[in-house]
Amino acid sequence: MSKSNKRTIWICIIACILIAVIPFAYGSKHGATFGGSDDAGGELVKKNDSHYKVWAEPILEKAIGGELPGEVESLLFCVQTGIGVGILFFFLGRFVERKKLGKEDQEL
């Protein structure tokens, strides 16, 4: 690995850490709370339009007759994330492999 590649990787790692830390530091200093965007959106709608009626229900919640437990929601979110990351890195691996073999002109 060349010296410029190592420097680029370190810059990316530092940028990732700053992206994660700065919002928490700024938000905690200004009294912000961190929560889900769904709940925040629902509260904002209730605040602006008290006569709003929900026009759709989650299919799974309707099928099981209630909300999913938080652990199951987290599991489903993690599985969804894992599938997306797997697909992303599969194609990134294909691009790197194709470049190594010198077959940039071929399609996947």
Coordinates of all heavy atoms in Angstrom, one line a residue:
M1 N 0.9 -1.2 0.0 CA 0.0 0.0 0.0 C 0.9 1.2 0.0 O 1.8 1.3 0.8 CB -0.9 0.0 1.2 CG -1.9 1.1 1.2 SD -3.0 1.1 2.7 CE -4.0 -0.3 2.4
S2 N 0.6 2.1 -0.9 CA 1.4 3.3 -1.0 C 1.2 4.3 0.1 O 0.1 4.2 0.8 CB 1.2 4.0 -2.3 OG -0.1 4.6 -2.4
K3 N 2.1 5.2 0.3 CA 2.0 6.2 1.4 C 0.7 7.1 1.2 O 0.1 7.5 2.1 CB 3.2 7.0 1.4 CG 3.3 7.9 2.7 CD 4.7 8.5 2.7 CE 4.8 9.4 4.0 NZ 6.2 9.9 4.2
S4 N 0.5 7.5 -0.1 CA -0.7 8.3 -0.3 C -2.0 7.6 0.0 O -3.0 8.2 0.4 CB -0.7 8.8 -1.8 OG -0.9 7.8 -2.7
N5 N -2.1 6.3 -0.3 CA -3.3 5.5 0.0 C -3.5 5.5 1.5 O -4.6 5.6 2.0 CB -3.2 4.1 -0.5 CG -3.4 4.1 -2.0 OD1 -3.9 5.0 -2.6 ND2 -3.1 2.9 -2.6
K6 N -2.4 5.3 2.3 CA -2.5 5.2 3.7 C -3.0 6.6 4.2 O -3.9 6.6 5.1 CB -1.2 4.9 4.4 CG -0.8 3.5 4.3 CD 0.5 3.2 5.0 CE 0.9 1.7 4.8 NZ 2.2 1.5 5.5
R7 N -2.5 7.6 3.7 CA -2.9 9.0 4.1 C -4.4 9.2 3.8 O -5.2 9.7 4.6 CB -2.1 10.0 3.5 CG -2.2 11.4 4.1 CD -1.2 12.3 3.7 NE -1.7 13.1 2.6 CZ -1.0 13.8 1.8 NH1 0.3 13.8 1.9 NH2 -1.5 14.5 0.8
T8 N -4.8 8.8 2.6 CA -6.3 8.9 2.3 C -7.2 8.1 3.2 O -8.2 8.6 3.6 CB -6.5 8.4 0.8 OG1 -5.6 9.2 -0.1 CG2 -7.9 8.6 0.4
I9 N -6.7 6.9 3.5 CA -7.5 6.1 4.4 C -7.6 6.7 5.8 O -8.7 6.8 6.4 CB -6.9 4.7 4.6 CG1 -7.1 3.9 3.2 CG2 -7.5 3.9 5.7 CD1 -6.4 2.6 3.2
W10 N -6.5 7.3 6.3 CA -6.6 7.9 7.6 C -7.4 9.2 7.6 O -8.2 9.5 8.5 CB -5.2 8.3 8.1 CG -4.5 7.1 8.7 CD1 -3.5 6.4 8.2 CD2 -4.9 6.5 10.0 NE1 -3.2 5.4 9.1 CE2 -4.0 5.4 10.2 CE3 -5.8 6.8 10.9 CZ2 -4.1 4.6 11.3 CZ3 -5.9 6.0 12.0 CH2 -5.0 4.9 12.2
I11 N -7.4 9.9 6.5 CA -8.3 11.1 6.3 C -9.7 10.7 6.4 O -10.6 11.3 7.0 CB -7.9 11.9 5.1 CG1 -6.6 12.6 5.2 CG2 -9.0 12.9 4.7 CD1 -6.0 13.2 4.0
C12 N -10.1 9.5 5.7 CA -11.4 9.1 5.7 C -11.9 8.6 7.0 O -13.0 8.8 7.5 CB -11.6 7.9 4.6 SG -11.5 8.4 2.9
I13 N -11.0 7.9 7.8 CA -11.3 7.4 9.1 C -11.6 8.6 10.0 O -12.6 8.7 10.8 CB -10.2 6.5 9.7 CG1 -10.2 5.2 8.9 CG2 -10.4 6.3 11.2 CD1 -9.0 4.3 9.2
I14 N -10.7 9.6 10.0 CA -10.9 10.8 10.8 C -12.2 11.6 10.4 O -12.9 12.0 11.3 CB -9.7 11.7 10.7 CG1 -8.5 11.1 11.4 CG2 -9.9 13.1 11.3 CD1 -7.1 11.8 11.1
A15 N -12.5 11.6 9.1 CA -13.7 12.3 8.7 C -15.0 11.5 9.2 O -15.9 12.1 9.7 CB -13.8 12.4 7.2
C16 N -14.9 10.2 9.2 CA -16.0 9.4 9.7 C -16.2 9.6 11.2 O -17.3 9.7 11.7 CB -15.8 7.9 9.5 SG -15.9 7.4 7.7
I17 N -15.1 9.7 11.9 CA -15.2 9.9 13.4 C -15.8 11.3 13.7 O -16.7 11.5 14.5 CB -13.8 9.7 14.0 CG1 -13.4 8.3 14.0 CG2 -13.9 10.3 15.5 CD1 -12.0 8.0 14.4
L18 N -15.3 12.3 12.9 CA -15.9 13.6 13.1 C -17.4 13.7 12.7 O -18.1 14.4 13.4 CB -15.1 14.6 12.3 CG -13.7 14.9 12.7 CD1 -12.9 15.8 11.8 CD2 -13.7 15.5 14.1
I19 N -17.8 13.0 11.7 CA -19.2 13.0 11.3 C -20.0 12.4 12.4 O -21.2 12.8 12.6 CB -19.4 12.3 9.9 CG1 -18.8 13.1 8.8 CG2 -20.8 11.9 9.7 CD1 -18.7 12.4 7.5
A20 N -19.5 11.4 13.1 CA -20.3 10.7 14.1 C -20.2 11.6 15.4 O -21.2 11.6 16.2 CB -19.7 9.3 14.4
V21 N -19.1 12.2 15.7 CA -19.0 12.9 17.0 C -19.6 14.3 17.1 O -20.2 14.7 18.0 CB -17.5 12.9 17.4 CG1 -17.3 13.8 18.6 CG2 -17.0 11.5 17.7
I22 N -19.4 15.0 16.0 CA -19.8 16.5 16.0 C -21.3 16.6 16.2 O -21.7 17.5 17.0 CB -19.4 17.1 14.7 CG1 -17.9 17.3 14.7 CG2 -20.1 18.5 14.5 CD1 -17.3 17.9 13.5
P23 N -22.2 15.8 15.6 CA -23.6 16.0 15.9 C -24.0 15.7 17.3 O -24.8 16.4 17.9 CB -24.3 15.0 14.9 CG -23.4 14.8 13.8 CD -22.0 14.9 14.4
F24 N -23.4 14.7 17.9 CA -23.7 14.4 19.3 C -23.2 15.6 20.2 O -23.9 16.0 21.2 CB -23.0 13.1 19.7 CG -23.8 11.9 19.3 CD1 -23.2 11.1 18.3 CD2 -25.0 11.6 19.7 CE1 -23.9 10.0 17.9 CE2 -25.8 10.5 19.3 CZ -25.2 9.7 18.3
A25 N -22.0 16.0 20.0 CA -21.4 17.1 20.8 C -22.2 18.4 20.6 O -22.6 19.0 21.6 CB -20.0 17.4 20.4
Y26 N -22.6 18.7 19.4 CA -23.4 19.9 19.2 C -24.8 19.8 19.7 O -25.3 20.7 20.4 CB -23.4 20.2 17.7 CG -24.2 21.5 17.3 CD1 -23.6 22.7 17.4 CD2 -25.5 21.4 16.9 CE1 -24.3 23.9 17.1 CE2 -26.2 22.5 16.6 CZ -25.6 23.8 16.7 OH -26.3 24.9 16.4
G27 N -25.4 18.7 19.5 CA -26.8 18.4 20.0 C -26.9 18.4 21.5 O -27.8 19.0 22.1
S28 N -25.9 17.7 22.1 CA -26.0 17.7 23.6 C -25.7 19.0 24.2 O -26.3 19.4 25.3 CB -25.0 16.6 24.1 OG -23.7 17.0 23.8
K29 N -24.9 19.9 23.6 CA -24.7 21.2 24.1 C -25.9 22.1 24.0 O -26.2 22.9 24.8 CB -23.5 21.8 23.3 CG -23.1 23.2 23.9 CD -21.9 23.7 23.1 CE -21.4 25.0 23.7 NZ -20.3 25.5 22.9
H30 N -26.7 21.8 23.0 CA -27.9 22.7 22.8 C -29.2 22.0 23.2 O -30.3 22.4 22.8 CB -28.0 23.0 21.3 CG -26.9 24.0 20.8 ND1 -25.7 23.5 20.5 CD2 -26.9 25.3 20.7 CE1 -24.9 24.6 20.2 NE2 -25.7 25.7 20.3
G31 N -29.1 20.9 24.0 CA -30.3 20.3 24.6 C -31.1 19.4 23.6 O -32.3 19.2 23.8
A32 N -30.5 19.0 22.5 CA -31.2 18.2 21.5 C -31.4 16.8 22.0 O -30.6 16.3 22.8 CB -30.5 18.2 20.2
T33 N -32.5 16.1 21.6 CA -32.7 14.7 21.9 C -32.6 14.0 20.7 O -33.0 14.4 19.6 CB -34.1 14.5 22.6 OG1 -35.1 15.0 21.7 CG2 -34.2 15.2 23.9
F34 N -32.1 12.8 20.7 CA -31.9 11.9 19.6 C -33.0 10.8 19.6 O -33.0 10.0 20.5 CB -30.5 11.3 19.5 CG -29.5 12.4 19.4 CD1 -28.8 12.9 20.4 CD2 -29.2 12.9 18.1 CE1 -27.8 13.9 20.3 CE2 -28.2 13.9 18.0 CZ -27.5 14.4 19.1
G35 N -33.8 10.8 18.6 CA -34.8 9.8 18.5 C -35.1 9.5 17.1 O -34.4 9.9 16.2
G36 N -36.1 8.7 16.9 CA -36.5 8.2 15.5 C -37.2 9.3 14.7 O -37.9 10.2 15.3
S37 N -36.9 9.3 13.5 CA -37.5 10.3 12.6 C -39.0 10.1 12.4 O -39.8 11.0 12.2 CB -36.9 10.3 11.2 OG -37.0 9.0 10.6
D38 N -39.5 8.8 12.6 CA -40.9 8.5 12.4 C -41.7 9.2 13.6 O -42.7 9.8 13.4 CB -41.2 7.0 12.5 CG -40.6 6.3 11.3 OD1 -40.4 7.0 10.2 OD2 -40.5 5.1 11.3
D39 N -41.2 9.0 14.8 CA -41.9 9.7 15.9 C -41.8 11.2 15.8 O -42.8 11.9 16.1 CB -41.2 9.2 17.2 CG -41.4 7.7 17.5 OD1 -42.4 7.2 17.0 OD2 -40.6 7.1 18.2
A40 N -40.7 11.7 15.4 CA -40.6 13.2 15.3 C -41.5 13.7 14.2 O -42.2 14.7 14.4 CB -39.1 13.6 15.0
G41 N -41.7 13.0 13.1 CA -42.6 13.4 12.1 C -44.0 13.3 12.5 O -44.8 14.2 12.3
G42 N -44.4 12.3 13.3 CA -45.7 12.1 13.8 C -46.1 13.2 14.8 O -47.2 13.8 14.7
E43 N -45.2 13.6 15.6 CA -45.4 14.7 16.6 C -45.6 16.0 15.8 O -46.4 16.8 16.2 CB -44.3 14.8 17.6 CG -44.2 13.6 18.5 CD -43.0 13.7 19.5 OE1 -42.4 14.7 19.5 OE2 -42.8 12.7 20.1
L44 N -44.8 16.2 14.8 CA -44.9 17.5 14.1 C -46.2 17.6 13.3 O -46.8 18.6 13.3 CB -43.7 17.6 13.1 CG -43.5 18.9 12.4 CD1 -43.3 20.0 13.4 CD2 -42.4 18.8 11.4
V45 N -46.7 16.5 12.8 CA -48.0 16.5 12.1 C -49.1 16.7 13.1 O -50.0 17.5 12.8 CB -48.2 15.1 11.4 CG1 -49.7 15.0 10.9 CG2 -47.3 15.0 10.2
K46 N -49.1 16.1 14.3 CA -50.1 16.4 15.3 C -50.1 17.8 15.7 O -51.1 18.4 16.0 CB -49.9 15.5 16.5 CG -50.3 14.0 16.3 CD -50.0 13.2 17.5 CE -50.3 11.7 17.3 NZ -50.0 10.9 18.4
K47 N -48.9 18.4 15.8 CA -48.8 19.8 16.3 C -49.4 20.7 15.2 O -50.0 21.7 15.6 CB -47.3 20.1 16.5 CG -47.0 21.5 17.0 CD -45.5 21.7 17.1 CE -45.2 23.1 17.5 NZ -43.7 23.3 17.6
N48 N -49.1 20.5 14.0 CA -49.6 21.4 12.9 C -51.0 21.1 12.4 O -51.7 22.1 12.0 CB -48.6 21.3 11.7 CG -47.3 21.9 12.0 OD1 -47.2 22.8 12.8 ND2 -46.2 21.3 11.4
D49 N -51.5 19.9 12.5 CA -52.9 19.6 12.1 C -53.5 18.6 13.0 O -53.3 17.4 12.9 CB -52.8 19.1 10.6 CG -54.2 18.8 10.1 OD1 -55.2 19.3 10.7 OD2 -54.3 18.3 9.0
S50 N -54.3 19.1 14.0 CA -54.9 18.2 15.0 C -56.0 17.4 14.4 O -56.4 16.4 15.0 CB -55.4 19.1 16.1 OG -56.4 20.0 15.7
H51 N -56.5 17.7 13.2 CA -57.6 16.9 12.6 C -57.1 15.8 11.6 O -57.9 15.2 11.0 CB -58.6 17.8 11.9 CG -59.2 18.8 12.7 ND1 -60.0 18.5 13.8 CD2 -59.0 20.2 12.8 CE1 -60.4 19.6 14.4 NE2 -59.8 20.6 13.8
Y52 N -55.8 15.7 11.5 CA -55.2 14.7 10.6 C -55.5 13.3 11.0 O -55.4 13.0 12.2 CB -53.7 14.9 10.5 CG -53.0 13.9 9.6 CD1 -53.0 14.0 8.2 CD2 -52.4 12.8 10.2 CE1 -52.4 13.1 7.4 CE2 -51.7 11.9 9.4 CZ -51.8 12.0 8.0 OH -51.2 11.1 7.2
K53 N -56.0 12.5 10.1 CA -56.2 11.1 10.4 C -55.3 10.2 9.6 O -55.0 10.5 8.4 CB -57.7 10.7 10.0 CG -58.7 11.4 10.8 CD -60.1 10.9 10.5 CE -61.1 11.6 11.4 NZ -62.4 11.2 11.1
V54 N -54.8 9.2 10.2 CA -53.8 8.3 9.5 C -54.5 7.6 8.4 O -55.6 7.1 8.7 CB -53.2 7.3 10.6 CG1 -52.3 6.3 9.9 CG2 -52.5 8.1 11.7
W55 N -54.0 7.6 7.2 CA -54.7 6.9 6.1 C -54.1 5.6 5.7 O -54.6 4.9 4.8 CB -54.6 7.9 4.9 CG -53.2 8.3 4.5 CD1 -52.6 9.4 5.0 CD2 -52.4 7.7 3.6 NE1 -51.4 9.4 4.4 CE2 -51.2 8.4 3.5 CE3 -52.5 6.5 2.7 CZ2 -50.1 8.1 2.7 CZ3 -51.4 6.2 1.9 CH2 -50.3 7.0 1.9
A56 N -53.0 5.1 6.4 CA -52.5 3.8 6.1 C -51.9 3.2 7.4 O -51.5 3.9 8.3 CB -51.4 3.9 5.1
E57 N -52.0 1.9 7.5 CA -51.4 1.2 8.7 C -50.3 0.3 8.3 O -50.4 -0.3 7.2 CB -52.5 0.4 9.4 CG -53.6 1.3 10.0 CD -54.7 0.4 10.7 OE1 -54.4 -0.7 11.1 OE2 -55.8 0.8 10.7
P58 N -49.3 0.1 9.1 CA -48.3 -0.9 8.7 C -48.9 -2.3 8.6 O -49.7 -2.7 9.4 CB -47.4 -0.8 9.9 CG -47.6 0.5 10.6 CD -49.0 0.8 10.3
I59 N -48.6 -2.9 7.5 CA -49.2 -4.2 7.1 C -48.9 -5.3 8.2 O -49.8 -6.0 8.6 CB -48.7 -4.7 5.8 CG1 -49.2 -3.7 4.7 CG2 -49.1 -6.1 5.5 CD1 -48.5 -4.0 3.3
L60 N -47.6 -5.3 8.6 CA -47.2 -6.4 9.6 C -47.9 -6.1 11.0 O -48.4 -7.1 11.6 CB -45.7 -6.4 9.8 CG -45.1 -7.5 10.6 CD1 -45.5 -8.9 10.0 CD2 -43.6 -7.4 10.7
E61 N -48.0 -4.9 11.4 CA -48.7 -4.6 12.7 C -50.1 -5.0 12.6 O -50.7 -5.4 13.6 CB -48.5 -3.1 13.0 CG -47.1 -2.8 13.4 CD -46.9 -1.3 13.8 OE1 -48.0 -0.6 13.8 OE2 -45.8 -0.9 14.0
K62 N -50.8 -4.8 11.4 CA -52.2 -5.1 11.3 C -52.3 -6.6 11.3 O -53.3 -7.2 11.9 CB -52.7 -4.5 9.9 CG -54.2 -4.6 9.8 CD -54.6 -3.9 8.5 CE -56.1 -4.0 8.4 NZ -56.5 -3.2 7.2
A63 N -51.4 -7.4 10.7 CA -51.5 -8.8 10.6 C -51.3 -9.5 12.0 O -52.0 -10.5 12.3 CB -50.4 -9.4 9.7
I64 N -50.4 -8.9 12.8 CA -50.2 -9.5 14.1 C -51.0 -8.9 15.2 O -51.0 -9.4 16.4 CB -48.7 -9.5 14.5 CG1 -48.2 -8.1 14.7 CG2 -47.9 -10.3 13.5 CD1 -46.7 -8.0 15.2
G65 N -51.7 -7.8 14.9 CA -52.6 -7.2 15.9 C -51.9 -6.3 16.9 O -52.4 -6.1 18.0
G66 N -50.8 -5.7 16.6 CA -50.1 -4.8 17.5 C -48.7 -4.5 16.9 O -48.3 -4.9 15.9
E67 N -48.0 -3.7 17.7 CA -46.6 -3.4 17.3 C -45.7 -4.5 17.6 O -45.8 -5.3 18.5 CB -46.2 -2.1 18.1 CG -46.8 -0.9 17.6 CD -46.1 0.4 18.2 OE1 -45.0 0.3 18.6 OE2 -46.8 1.4 18.2
L68 N -44.6 -4.5 16.8 CA -43.5 -5.5 17.0 C -42.7 -5.0 18.3 O -42.6 -3.8 18.5 CB -42.6 -5.5 15.8 CG -43.1 -6.1 14.6 CD1 -42.1 -5.9 13.4 CD2 -43.3 -7.6 14.8
P69 N -42.2 -6.0 19.0 CA -41.3 -5.6 20.1 C -40.1 -4.8 19.5 O -39.7 -5.1 18.4 CB -40.9 -6.9 20.7 CG -41.9 -7.9 20.2 CD -42.4 -7.4 18.9
G70 N -39.5 -4.0 20.3 CA -38.3 -3.2 19.9 C -37.2 -4.0 19.4 O -36.5 -3.7 18.5
E71 N -37.0 -5.2 20.1 CA -35.9 -6.1 19.7 C -36.1 -6.6 18.3 O -35.1 -6.8 17.5 CB -35.7 -7.2 20.7 CG -35.3 -6.8 22.1 CD -36.5 -6.4 22.9 OE1 -37.7 -6.6 22.5 OE2 -36.3 -5.8 24.0
V72 N -37.3 -7.0 18.0 CA -37.6 -7.5 16.7 C -37.4 -6.5 15.6 O -36.9 -6.7 14.5 CB -39.0 -8.2 16.6 CG1 -39.3 -8.6 15.2 CG2 -39.1 -9.3 17.6
E73 N -37.9 -5.2 15.9 CA -37.7 -4.1 15.0 C -36.2 -3.9 14.7 O -35.8 -3.7 13.6 CB -38.3 -2.9 15.5 CG -39.8 -2.9 15.4 CD -40.4 -1.6 15.9 OE1 -39.6 -0.7 16.4 OE2 -41.6 -1.4 15.8
S74 N -35.4 -4.0 15.8 CA -34.0 -3.8 15.6 C -33.3 -4.9 14.8 O -32.5 -4.7 14.0 CB -33.3 -3.7 17.0 OG -33.7 -2.6 17.7
L75 N -33.8 -6.1 15.1 CA -33.3 -7.3 14.3 C -33.6 -7.1 12.8 O -32.8 -7.3 12.0 CB -33.9 -8.6 14.8 CG -33.6 -9.8 14.0 CD1 -32.2 -10.2 14.1 CD2 -34.5 -11.0 14.3
L76 N -34.9 -6.7 12.5 CA -35.2 -6.5 11.1 C -34.4 -5.4 10.4 O -34.0 -5.5 9.3 CB -36.7 -6.3 11.0 CG -37.7 -7.4 11.3 CD1 -39.1 -7.0 11.3 CD2 -37.4 -8.6 10.4
F77 N -34.2 -4.3 11.2 CA -33.4 -3.2 10.7 C -32.0 -3.7 10.4 O -31.4 -3.4 9.4 CB -33.4 -2.1 11.7 CG -32.7 -0.9 11.2 CD1 -33.3 -0.1 10.2 CD2 -31.5 -0.5 11.6 CE1 -32.6 1.1 9.7 CE2 -30.8 0.6 11.2 CZ -31.4 1.4 10.2
C78 N -31.4 -4.5 11.3 CA -30.0 -5.0 11.1 C -30.0 -5.9 9.9 O -29.0 -5.9 9.2 CB -29.6 -5.7 12.4 SG -29.2 -4.5 13.7
V79 N -31.0 -6.8 9.8 CA -31.0 -7.7 8.6 C -31.0 -6.9 7.3 O -30.3 -7.2 6.4 CB -32.1 -8.7 8.7 CG1 -32.3 -9.5 7.5 CG2 -31.9 -9.7 9.9
Q80 N -31.9 -5.9 7.3 CA -32.0 -5.1 6.1 C -30.7 -4.4 5.8 O -30.3 -4.3 4.7 CB -33.1 -4.0 6.3 CG -33.3 -3.0 5.2 CD -34.3 -2.0 5.6 OE1 -34.9 -2.0 6.7 NE2 -34.6 -1.1 4.7
T81 N -30.0 -3.9 6.8 CA -28.7 -3.2 6.7 C -27.7 -4.2 6.1 O -26.9 -3.9 5.2 CB -28.3 -2.6 8.0 OG1 -29.3 -1.7 8.4 CG2 -27.0 -1.9 7.8
G82 N -27.7 -5.4 6.7 CA -26.7 -6.4 6.3 C -26.9 -6.8 4.8 O -25.9 -7.0 4.1
I83 N -28.2 -7.0 4.4 CA -28.4 -7.3 3.0 C -27.9 -6.2 2.1 O -27.3 -6.4 1.1 CB -29.9 -7.6 2.8 CG1 -30.3 -8.9 3.5 CG2 -30.2 -7.7 1.3 CD1 -31.8 -9.2 3.6
G84 N -28.2 -4.9 2.5 CA -27.8 -3.8 1.6 C -26.3 -3.7 1.6 O -25.7 -3.5 0.5
V85 N -25.6 -3.9 2.7 CA -24.1 -3.8 2.7 C -23.6 -5.0 1.9 O -22.6 -4.8 1.2 CB -23.6 -3.8 4.2 CG1 -22.1 -4.0 4.2 CG2 -24.0 -2.5 4.8
G86 N -24.2 -6.1 2.0 CA -23.7 -7.3 1.3 C -23.7 -7.0 -0.2 O -22.8 -7.3 -1.0
I87 N -24.9 -6.5 -0.7 CA -25.0 -6.2 -2.1 C -24.0 -5.1 -2.5 O -23.3 -5.3 -3.6 CB -26.4 -5.7 -2.4 CG1 -27.4 -6.9 -2.2 CG2 -26.6 -5.1 -3.8 CD1 -28.9 -6.5 -2.3
L88 N -23.8 -4.1 -1.7 CA -22.9 -3.0 -2.1 C -21.5 -3.5 -2.2 O -20.8 -3.3 -3.2 CB -23.0 -1.9 -1.0 CG -21.9 -0.8 -1.2 CD1 -22.3 0.1 -2.4 CD2 -21.9 0.0 0.1
F89 N -21.0 -4.3 -1.2 CA -19.6 -4.8 -1.3 C -19.5 -5.9 -2.3 O -18.3 -6.1 -2.7 CB -19.2 -5.2 0.1 CG -18.8 -3.9 0.9 CD1 -19.7 -3.4 1.8 CD2 -17.6 -3.3 0.7 CE1 -19.3 -2.3 2.5 CE2 -17.2 -2.2 1.4 CZ -18.1 -1.6 2.3
F90 N -20.5 -6.6 -2.6 CA -20.4 -7.6 -3.7 C -20.0 -6.9 -5.0 O -19.1 -7.3 -5.7 CB -21.7 -8.4 -3.9 CG -21.7 -9.2 -5.1 CD1 -21.0 -10.5 -5.1 CD2 -22.4 -8.8 -6.2 CE1 -21.0 -11.3 -6.2 CE2 -22.4 -9.6 -7.4 CZ -21.7 -10.8 -7.4
F91 N -20.7 -5.8 -5.3 CA -20.4 -5.1 -6.5 C -19.1 -4.4 -6.5 O -18.3 -4.3 -7.4 CB -21.5 -4.2 -6.9 CG -22.7 -4.9 -7.5 CD1 -23.8 -5.1 -6.8 CD2 -22.6 -5.5 -8.8 CE1 -24.9 -5.8 -7.3 CE2 -23.7 -6.2 -9.3 CZ -24.8 -6.4 -8.5
L92 N -18.7 -3.8 -5.3 CA -17.4 -3.2 -5.1 C -16.3 -4.3 -5.3 O -15.3 -4.0 -6.0 CB -17.3 -2.6 -3.8 CG -18.0 -1.2 -3.6 CD1 -17.9 -0.8 -2.1 CD2 -17.5 -0.2 -4.5
G93 N -16.5 -5.4 -4.8 CA -15.5 -6.5 -5.0 C -15.4 -6.9 -6.4 O -14.3 -7.2 -7.0
R94 N -16.5 -6.9 -7.1 CA -16.5 -7.3 -8.6 C -15.7 -6.2 -9.4 O -15.0 -6.5 -10.3 CB -17.9 -7.4 -9.1 CG -18.7 -8.5 -8.6 CD -18.3 -9.8 -9.2 NE -18.4 -9.7 -10.7 CZ -18.7 -10.6 -11.5 NH1 -18.9 -11.8 -11.0 NH2 -18.8 -10.4 -12.8
F95 N -15.9 -4.9 -9.0 CA -15.2 -3.9 -9.7 C -13.7 -4.0 -9.4 O -12.9 -3.9 -10.4 CB -15.7 -2.5 -9.3 CG -17.0 -2.1 -9.8 CD1 -18.0 -1.7 -9.0 CD2 -17.2 -2.2 -11.2 CE1 -19.2 -1.4 -9.5 CE2 -18.5 -1.9 -11.7 CZ -19.5 -1.5 -10.9
V96 N -13.3 -4.3 -8.2 CA -11.9 -4.4 -7.9 C -11.3 -5.6 -8.6 O -10.2 -5.6 -9.2 CB -11.7 -4.5 -6.3 CG1 -10.3 -4.9 -6.0 CG2 -12.0 -3.2 -5.7
E97 N -12.0 -6.8 -8.6 CA -11.5 -8.0 -9.2 C -11.4 -7.7 -10.7 O -10.4 -8.1 -11.3 CB -12.5 -9.1 -9.0 CG -12.2 -10.4 -9.7 CD -13.2 -11.4 -9.4 OE1 -14.2 -11.2 -8.6 OE2 -13.2 -12.5 -10.1
R98 N -12.3 -7.1 -11.3 CA -12.3 -6.8 -12.8 C -11.1 -5.9 -13.1 O -10.4 -6.1 -14.1 CB -13.6 -6.1 -13.2 CG -13.7 -6.1 -14.7 CD -15.1 -5.6 -15.1 NE -15.3 -4.3 -14.6 CZ -16.4 -3.6 -14.8 NH1 -17.4 -4.1 -15.5 NH2 -16.5 -2.4 -14.3
K99 N -10.8 -4.9 -12.2 CA -9.7 -4.0 -12.4 C -8.4 -4.8 -12.3 O -7.4 -4.6 -13.1 CB -9.7 -2.9 -11.4 CG -8.7 -1.8 -11.7 CD -8.9 -0.6 -10.8 CE -8.0 0.5 -11.2 NZ -8.1 1.6 -10.3
K100 N -8.3 -5.7 -11.3 CA -7.1 -6.5 -11.2 C -6.8 -7.4 -12.4 O -5.7 -7.6 -12.7 CB -7.2 -7.4 -9.9 CG -6.9 -6.7 -8.6 CD -7.0 -7.7 -7.5 CE -6.8 -7.0 -6.2 NZ -6.9 -7.9 -5.0
L101 N -7.8 -7.9 -12.9 CA -7.7 -8.8 -14.1 C -7.5 -8.1 -15.4 O -7.3 -8.7 -16.4 CB -8.9 -9.8 -14.2 CG -9.0 -10.7 -13.0 CD1 -10.3 -11.5 -13.1 CD2 -7.8 -11.7 -12.9
G102 N -7.6 -6.7 -15.3 CA -7.5 -5.9 -16.5 C -8.6 -6.1 -17.5 O -8.4 -5.9 -18.7
K103 N -9.8 -6.3 -17.0 CA -11.0 -6.5 -17.8 C -11.9 -5.3 -17.6 O -13.1 -5.5 -17.4 CB -11.6 -7.8 -17.5 CG -10.8 -9.0 -17.8 CD -11.5 -10.3 -17.5 CE -10.6 -11.5 -17.7 NZ -11.3 -12.7 -17.3
E104 N -11.5 -4.1 -17.6 CA -12.3 -3.0 -17.4 C -13.4 -2.8 -18.4 O -14.5 -2.2 -18.2 CB -11.5 -1.7 -17.3 CG -10.6 -1.5 -16.1 CD -9.2 -2.1 -16.4 OE1 -9.0 -2.5 -17.5 OE2 -8.5 -2.2 -15.4
D105 N -13.2 -3.3 -19.6 CA -14.1 -3.1 -20.7 C -15.3 -4.0 -20.7 O -16.3 -3.8 -21.3 CB -13.4 -3.2 -22.1 CG -12.4 -2.1 -22.3 OD1 -12.5 -1.0 -21.6 OD2 -11.5 -2.3 -23.0
Q106 N -15.2 -5.1 -19.9 CA -16.3 -6.1 -19.9 C -17.4 -5.7 -18.9 O -17.1 -5.0 -17.9 CB -15.7 -7.5 -19.4 CG -14.8 -8.1 -20.5 CD -14.4 -9.5 -20.0 OE1 -14.7 -9.9 -18.9 NE2 -13.6 -10.2 -20.9
E107 N -18.6 -6.1 -19.2 CA -19.7 -5.8 -18.3 C -19.7 -6.9 -17.2 O -19.1 -7.9 -17.3 CB -21.0 -5.8 -19.0 CG -21.1 -4.7 -20.0 CD -22.5 -4.7 -20.6 OE1 -23.4 -5.3 -20.1 OE2 -22.6 -4.1 -21.7
L108 N -20.4 -6.6 -16.1 CA -20.4 -7.5 -14.9 C -21.2 -8.7 -15.3 O -22.1 -8.8 -16.0 CB -21.1 -6.8 -13.7 CG -20.2 -5.8 -13.0 CD1 -21.0 -5.2 -11.9 CD2 -19.0 -6.5 -12.4

